[in-house]
């Protein structure tokens, strides 16, 4: 049965591809959003240890690359941890761009990114990881100005070898800090949006003290969902103080995983006002993925999203040329094919709610150290359908 389904999906995709371009799906009057994620890994590669002249030249080339690849949105990780790549009154400078956390910035990286991007009519969404403090438990790496530093040993943060250090999503002080950090960005920078990724609850122990101190009118599961929802609503409200600024989230592609591991209430965000302007689920699946076939997943999201919430899909350029073990019988798809992203976009364009896509991540567009032959061909094939 699964084999027949895969064959049917493949035939459908092939048929869509063979149709004239003007018949490939419902074409929106709005411009298709075409984003790329620029993570702290890239920040370290292109900015860390570089003098001002070199790093500015790198940023200019980054924007040119985005433009060359016919993309129009840069999702820039400005707070990968409890830190910042811009001058902040709330967070220390990030050690992904300076030698030690808290060191002085050579210049305002975020401001320069925005300036260069807007020259090319490329939008910039400031990507924040709200709860993550550090990927290691080494507290010596934290500057004394880091908000987490003063909370070490309290219920506001938790450290473990498995996750590093995280803020407690149930803490009111933590929520206020995150919202204030978003407000600082919105007020001081000409950004086009605020973006959260899929990291919410880090584990199932971090908020137990907070829950015990609560009135326990709701189950622990509901308590966790409501803690995240409360933060999302407050961030949305702050973002919308700025004209033409939007708030979006990239949850996990598997809808149920968001609930079971992150306590991320994507159904509420997708259907009710006042939470998000867009959802950009991480649909890191191929067509032959036995567990979660791409076509099934995008239809689920298309059915879920309602109202004024826009729907974009994040696609896995990083998977090209590698074995996808979780796909089971479809594990070799990313090795055997080199036009997966192209076909995924073509198919998505036929969905009613679809408004665009993004690529994870920037280095796979240009960096030969992470690219393989399939990566280059995937990009070339995708460009064929981007006008």
């Amino acid at each position: 049965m699964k084999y027949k389904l895969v064959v049917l999906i493949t035939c459908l995709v092939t048929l869509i591809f063979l149709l004239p371009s003007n018949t490939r799906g419902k074409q929106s009057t709005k411009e298709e959003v075409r984003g790329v994620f620029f993570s702290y890994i890239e920040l370290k590669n292109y900015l860390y240890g570089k003098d001002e002249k070199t790093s500015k030249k790198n940023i200019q080339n980054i924007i040119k690359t985005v433009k060359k690849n016919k993309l129009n949105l840069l999702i820039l990780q400005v707070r990968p941890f409890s830190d910042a790549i811009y001058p902040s009154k709330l967070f220390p400078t990030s050690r992904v761009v300076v030698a030690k956390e808290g060191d002085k910035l050579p210049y305002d990286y975020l401001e320069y990114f925005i300036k260069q991007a807007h020259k090319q009519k490329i939008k910039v969404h400031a990507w924040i990881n709200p709860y993550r403090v550090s990927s290691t438990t080494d507290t010596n790496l934290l500057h004394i100005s880091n908000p987490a530093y003063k909370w070490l040993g309290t219920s506001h943060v938790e450290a473990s070898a498995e996750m590093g250090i995280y803020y407690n999503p149930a803490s009111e002080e933590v929520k206020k800090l995150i919202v204030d950090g978003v407000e600082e960005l919105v007020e001081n920078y000409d950004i086009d949006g605020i973006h959260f990724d899929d990291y919410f609850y880090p584990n199932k122990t971090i908020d137990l003290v907070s829950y015990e101190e609560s009135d326990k009118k709701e189950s622990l599961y509901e308590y966790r969902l409501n803690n995240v929802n409360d933060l999302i609503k407050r961030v949305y409200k702050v973002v919308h103080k700025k004209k033409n600024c939007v708030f979006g989230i990239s949850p996990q592609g598997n809808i149920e995983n968001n609930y079971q591991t992150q306590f991320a209430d994507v159904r509420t965000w997708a259907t009710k006002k006042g939470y998000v302007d867009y959802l950009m689920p991480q649909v890191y699946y191929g067509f032959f993925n036995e567990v979660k076939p791409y076509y099934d997943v995008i239809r689920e999201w298309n059915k879920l999203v309602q109202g004024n919430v826009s729907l974009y899909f994040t696609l896995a350029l990083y998977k090209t040329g590698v074995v996808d073990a979780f796909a089971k019988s479809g594990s070799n798809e990313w090795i055997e094919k080199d036009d997966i992203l192209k076909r995924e976009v073509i198919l998505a364009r036929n969905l009613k709610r679809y408004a665009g896509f993004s690529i994870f991540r920037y280095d796979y567009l240009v960096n030969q150290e992470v690219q393989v032959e399939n990566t280059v061909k995937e990009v070339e094939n995708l460009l064929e359908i981007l006008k």
Side-chain angles (χ1 to χ4, degrees):
M1 183 66 183
K2 286 184 178 178
Y3 175 77
K4 290 181 179 178
L5 178 60
V6 168
V7 172
L8 179 62
I9 293 170
T10 304
C11 291
L12 175 60
V13 175
T14 303
L15 177 61
I16 292 169
F17 176 67
L18 292 174
L19 290 172
S21 60
N22 63 350
T23 64
R24 291 179 194 159
K26 178 180 177 289
Q27 297 299 310
S28 171
T29 55
K30 291 185 178 180
E31 181 183 17
E32 180 179 55
V33 168
R34 301 168 180 173
V36 60
F37 283 81
F38 196 92
S39 75
Y40 73 90
I41 299 171
E42 279 93 358
L43 288 170
K44 199 168 185 68
N45 289 344
Y46 298 98
L47 301 183
Y48 183 84
K50 307 294 190 296
D51 59 43
E52 182 171 342
K53 182 179 179 180
T54 303
S55 62
K56 283 186 173 180
K57 185 66 175 177
N58 285 348
I59 292 173
Q60 291 169 22
N61 288 335
I62 288 160
I63 299 304
K64 287 177 183 177
T65 299
V66 174
K67 187 75 172 180
K68 178 183 175 182
N69 285 278
K70 302 178 182 177
L71 307 174
N72 54 30
L73 170 63
L74 182 69
I75 303 171
L76 176 65
Q77 194 160 32
V78 302
R79 285 224 314 272
F81 302 95
S82 177
D83 55 11
I85 68 165
Y86 54 91
S88 171
K89 293 181 179 179
L90 300 171
F91 300 95
T93 52
S94 175
R95 63 179 180 270
V96 303
V97 292
V98 293
K100 298 192 305 297
E101 186 174 278
D103 282 358
K104 185 178 179 180
L105 288 169
Y107 61 97
D108 191 333
Y109 291 122
L110 174 56
E111 184 177 60
Y112 196 73
F113 262 108
I114 294 169
K115 180 180 178 181
Q116 295 303 313
H118 284 178
K119 280 182 182 179
Q120 299 295 331
K121 298 186 175 170
I122 293 167
K123 293 184 177 181
V124 178
H125 287 192
W127 169 16
I128 295 168
N129 192 303
Y131 301 121
R132 185 171 62 191
V133 175
S134 177
S135 56
T136 172
T137 57
D138 186 357
T139 56
N140 292 319
L141 296 175
L142 300 181
H143 191 262
I144 58 172
S145 66
N146 195 314
Y149 187 85
K150 67 180 181 182
W151 285 336
L152 292 173
T154 73
S155 63
H156 299 302
V157 297
E158 182 172 302
S160 74
E162 181 183 359
M163 69 176 184
I165 305 173
Y166 264 77
Y167 286 118
N168 175 9
S171 164
E172 175 56 32
E173 288 87 341
V174 165
K175 291 178 187 178
K176 185 178 185 306
L177 171 67
I178 296 167
V179 173
D180 288 348
V182 170
E183 189 166 29
E184 181 181 54
L185 280 166
V186 169
E187 288 183 348
N188 296 332
Y189 293 92
D190 188 22
I191 53 174
D192 303 287
I194 294 290
H195 186 95
F196 284 4
D197 54 28
D198 62 322
Y199 286 94
F200 292 98
Y201 261 80
N203 63 24
K204 296 183 179 180
T205 61
I206 194 166
D207 65 343
L208 291 181
V209 171
S210 301
Y211 182 65
E212 287 301 317
E213 293 175 350
S214 72
D215 55 23
K216 295 186 181 179
K217 289 183 179 179
E218 55 200 353
S219 69
L220 181 58
Y221 176 78
E222 292 170 328
Y223 177 75
R224 288 170 171 165
L225 288 179
N226 288 335
N227 280 325
V228 177
N229 278 344
D230 180 42
L231 174 68
I232 299 306
K233 282 193 294 185
R234 288 159 70 170
V235 169
Y236 178 90
K237 187 175 180 180
V238 165
V239 170
H240 279 260
K241 289 182 179 180
K242 185 182 183 74
K243 187 178 180 181
N244 297 324
C245 194
V246 298
F247 176 44
I249 298 175
S250 283
Q252 294 184 21
N254 184 326
I255 291 174
E256 293 307 319
N257 276 0
N258 290 292
Y259 287 89
Q260 300 307 319
T261 64
Q262 301 294 321
F263 301 95
D265 190 2
V266 294
R267 293 188 180 93
T268 292
W269 305 345
T271 58
K272 294 185 179 179
K273 292 181 180 180
Y275 288 90
V276 297
D277 296 293
Y278 69 83
L279 287 174
M280 190 182 281
Q282 299 171 24
V283 189
Y284 296 156
Y285 312 110
F287 292 98
F288 296 98
N289 188 305
E290 186 179 329
V291 181
K292 283 285 180 182
Y294 173 79
Y295 184 51
D296 288 355
V297 175
I298 63 172
R299 285 195 303 170
E300 281 185 297
W301 283 100
N302 184 68
K303 185 177 180 181
L304 179 64
V305 172
Q306 298 176 22
N308 293 323
V309 177
S310 296
L311 176 62
Y312 316 127
F313 297 120
T314 309
L315 308 179
L317 183 60
Y318 75 94
K319 277 192 175 181
T320 53
V322 301
V323 173
D324 186 2
F326 294 104
K328 295 189 176 180
S329 62
S331 61
N332 288 327
E333 181 178 3
W334 296 91
I335 296 175
E336 296 169 352
K337 306 293 181 182
D338 59 22
D339 63 347
I340 296 173
L341 269 60
K342 173 183 178 178
R343 290 183 286 122
E344 288 186 337
V345 171
I346 289 172
L347 191 58
R349 284 174 175 172
N350 287 268
L351 300 177
K352 181 179 180 181
R353 302 295 316 194
Y354 170 81
F357 69 91
S358 64
I359 293 170
F360 193 84
R361 53 185 170 82
Y362 175 85
D363 254 357
Y364 290 87
L365 291 174
V366 295
N367 190 343
Q368 294 180 355
E369 293 183 7
V370 297
Q371 288 178 329
V372 295
E373 186 178 354
N374 273 32
T375 317
V376 177
K377 289 183 178 178
E378 278 283 353
V379 174
E380 290 174 352
N381 286 325
L382 179 60
L383 281 170
E384 291 179 0
I385 62 167
L386 303 183
K387 304 299 181 182

